[in-house]
């Protein structure tokens, strides 16, 4: 699997003891992933200020979020495979430089469409840095305790970025909304300099060509799918435009599959999709991210616009989620080593689902200690399973397909979360609007119930991995994903 030359000398005897250079590389990759997650959630707090200063409509403001998701979710699959084919270090450095430049431009422009373009470019860059960073880790740390520890730390940073976005967004918006764009610039530049020194050079894949036609079909299908789901609530799910777009998406995916079956060097080896551990991890990450983003979206609207909470007040109320994610970096890899990924994913997803159900007790004057905090803590525990999901997805994957596996997983997260959020938006939009907090809560409650339902379905899927298959004896000591791989 992984060449011993990629590990430090210290790791030769103890795979979890690494050299300073290896630690530096890991922390650099973690910081970049943190920025990716931060950028997804931080912008939400700044939207009212941006709209007021630039005189942008609500539909235009939506594209500041959707534009990022469009670039990110639409190109992730291509990003992961490009890293495998052209070289991980090269792709990572170029994409990170583009991310920094787009962040700077976003903080300087004063035109709505230009601002949306910078967001799309940032999402595009993140579509290459995220799967490439993950594949750099999985090809430099041997499968087992070393990789589990590295991936636990790495994915905790990613989850921390998503969960800390409200806090950083509230702080930066207090200074000025442009700082939500400018904050990542010096961090990204510092990470770029560190990555230039610390990320080892690697050779492009010795075998394999560039599946240009497959890349065109897959990218077009993913972009159109994300575009369709984020615009459907505005134009209508049953409109001719939406239905036609979905038909086009199906046609593009069918063309992509036809190309992949016939081309000599496919962009996606379709056999990798038969790996049950990767499929289960992908479904789990859709449930975790989709339910959380939908819940956070509704909570932000209700608490700020209806109950009058300030952005900082809301950020501090949800801070326990970020704290739990950060603390989990100390022990998440040890949990995986002891219990395996399957049990960790199942338990944390069940706990997260219970948190959403408890949050349904929300009223127009909620007590933080008895209503909000217990639910927030349980939802935060759900994110502790995020590293295990990433470990499960990449276990047993050959080095030359680590980028592909990472791209499949993160595409599932971004596109799946976009679809869940779009459905949530459609649900709450159909309820009408009123100035009354009680009426607004009635409007938002079906969306909260839907988010809880998504988490429950995810938990049930995770638990199904432990249902014994007919004719196969369950081995308690073995990893569940290794038992079920076909």
């Amino acid at each position: 699997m992984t060449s011993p030359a990629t590990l430090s000398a210290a790791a030769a005897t103890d795979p979890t003891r690494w050299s300073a250079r290896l630690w530096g590389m890991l922390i650099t990759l973690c910081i970049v992933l943190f920025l990716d997650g931060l950028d997804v959630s931080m912008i939400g707090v700044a939207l009212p200020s941006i709209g007021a200063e630039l005189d942008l409509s609500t539909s235009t403001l939506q594209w500041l979020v959707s534009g990022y998701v469009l670039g990110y979710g639409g190109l992730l699959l291509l990003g992961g495979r490009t890293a495998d084919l052209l070289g991980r270090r090269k792709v990572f450095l170029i994409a990170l430089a583009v991310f920094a430049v787009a962040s700077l431009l976003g903080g300087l422009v004063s035109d709505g469409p230009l601002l949306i373009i910078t967001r799309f470019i940032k999402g595009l860059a993140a579509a290459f840095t995220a799967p490439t960073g993950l594949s750099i880790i999985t090809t430099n740390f041997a499968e087992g305790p070393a990789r589990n520890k590295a991936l636990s730390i790495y994915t905790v940073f990613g989850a921390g970025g998503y969960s800390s976005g409200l806090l950083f967004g509230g702080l930066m918006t207090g200074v000025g909304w442009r700082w939500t764009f400018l904050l990542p610039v010096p961090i990204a530049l510092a990470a770029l300099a560190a990555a230039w020194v610390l990320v080892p050079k690697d050779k492009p894949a010795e075998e394999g060509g560039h599946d240009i036609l497959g890349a065109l079909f897959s990218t077009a299908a993913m972009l159109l799918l994300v575009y369709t789901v984020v615009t459907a609530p505005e134009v209508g799910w049953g409109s001719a435009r939406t239905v036609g777009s979905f038909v086009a998406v199906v046609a593009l995916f069918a063309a992509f599959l036809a190309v992949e079956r016939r081309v000599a060097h496919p962009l996606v080896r379709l056999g990798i999709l038969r790996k049950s551990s990767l499929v289960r991890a992908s479904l789990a990450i859709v449930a975790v991210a989709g339910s959380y983003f939908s819940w956070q979206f509704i909570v932000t609207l209700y608490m700020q616009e209806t109950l009058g909470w300030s952005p900082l007040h809301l950020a501090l109320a949800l801070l326990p989620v970020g704290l739990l994610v950060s603390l989990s970096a100390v022990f998440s890899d040890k949990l995986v080593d002891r219990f395996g990924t399957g049990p960790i994913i199942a338990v944390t997803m069940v706990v997260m689902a219970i948190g959403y159900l408890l949050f349904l007790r929300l009223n127009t004057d909620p007590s933080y200690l008895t209503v909000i905090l217990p639910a927030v803590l349980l939802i935060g525990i759900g994110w502790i399973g995020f590293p295990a999901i990433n470990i499960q997805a990449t276990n047993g994957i050959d080095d030359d397909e680590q980028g592909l596996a990472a791209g499949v997983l993160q595409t599932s997260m971004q596109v799946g979360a976009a679809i869940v959020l779009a459905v949530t938006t459609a649900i709450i939009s159909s309820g009408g609007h009123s100035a009354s907090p009680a009426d607004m809560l009635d409007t938002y409650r079906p969306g909260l119930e839907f988010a809880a339902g998504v988490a429950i379905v995810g938990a049930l899927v995770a638990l199904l991995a432990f249902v014994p298959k007919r004719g196969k004896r369950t081995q308690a000591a073995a990893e569940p994903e290794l038992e079920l791989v076909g």
Side-chain angles (χ1 to χ4, degrees), residues 327-344:
L327 290 174
S328 70
V330 179
F331 56 81
S332 59
D333 63 308
K334 298 178 178 62
L335 290 177
V336 171
D337 289 340
R338 179 166 183 178
F339 299 106
T341 57
I344 301 301

Side-chain angles (χ1 to χ4, degrees), residues 309-380:
W309 287 25
S310 69
L312 185 58
H313 185 185
L314 176 63
L316 293 175
L318 301 184
L319 182 60
V321 175
L323 292 177
L324 280 170
V325 171
S326 300
L327 290 174
S328 70
V330 179
F331 56 81
S332 59
D333 63 308
K334 298 178 178 62
L335 290 177
V336 171
D337 289 340
R338 179 166 183 178
F339 299 106
T341 57
I344 301 301
I345 295 170
V347 170
T348 54
M349 292 196 68
V350 168
V351 172
M352 179 178 253
I354 294 173
Y356 290 128
L357 292 175
L358 286 180
F359 195 81
L360 294 178
R361 300 178 300 155
L362 184 70
N363 54 42
T364 57
D365 185 24
S367 166
Y368 183 74
L369 290 179
T370 61
V371 175
I372 298 177
L373 182 60
V376 167
L377 289 174
L378 293 178
I379 293 169

Side-chain angles (χ1 to χ4, degrees), residues 389-480:
I389 294 174
N390 284 265
I391 293 170
Q392 184 181 82
T394 55
N395 274 353
I397 303 293
D398 292 335
D399 281 358
D400 61 355
E401 290 190 327
Q402 285 289 335
L404 173 59
V408 170
L409 180 70
Q410 293 171 357
T411 297
S412 300
M413 176 178 176
Q414 294 299 325
V415 177
I419 293 172
V420 173
L421 180 57
V423 174
T424 302
T425 303
I427 290 173
I428 63 177
S429 297
S430 64
H433 297 281
S434 170
S436 165
D439 289 343
M440 287 306 300
L441 183 57
D442 289 340
T443 297
Y444 289 139
R445 192 175 298 280
L448 293 172
E449 292 170 348
F450 177 70
V454 170
I456 291 171
V457 171
L460 291 175
V461 171
L463 290 170
L464 284 176
F466 300 95
V467 176
K469 285 189 174 182
R470 190 184 311 176
K472 288 190 177 182
R473 185 175 57 188
T474 302
Q475 300 176 5
E479 282 280 310

Side-chain angles (χ1 to χ4, degrees), residues 97-130:
V98 172
F99 184 93
V101 172
S103 296
L104 177 61
L105 293 176
L108 298 178
V109 301
S110 297
D111 177 75
L114 287 178
L115 202 58
I116 293 171
I117 290 173
T118 64
R119 292 286 297 168
F120 175 78
I121 294 173
K122 289 179 73 172
L124 184 152
F128 286 82
T129 59

Side-chain angles (χ1 to χ4, degrees), residues 282-302:
S282 298
L283 292 174
I285 209 166
V286 169
V288 170
S291 62
Y292 182 78
F293 290 168
S294 297
W295 174 80
Q296 186 188 75
F297 178 73
I298 295 174
V299 169
T300 301
L301 290 178
Y302 183 68

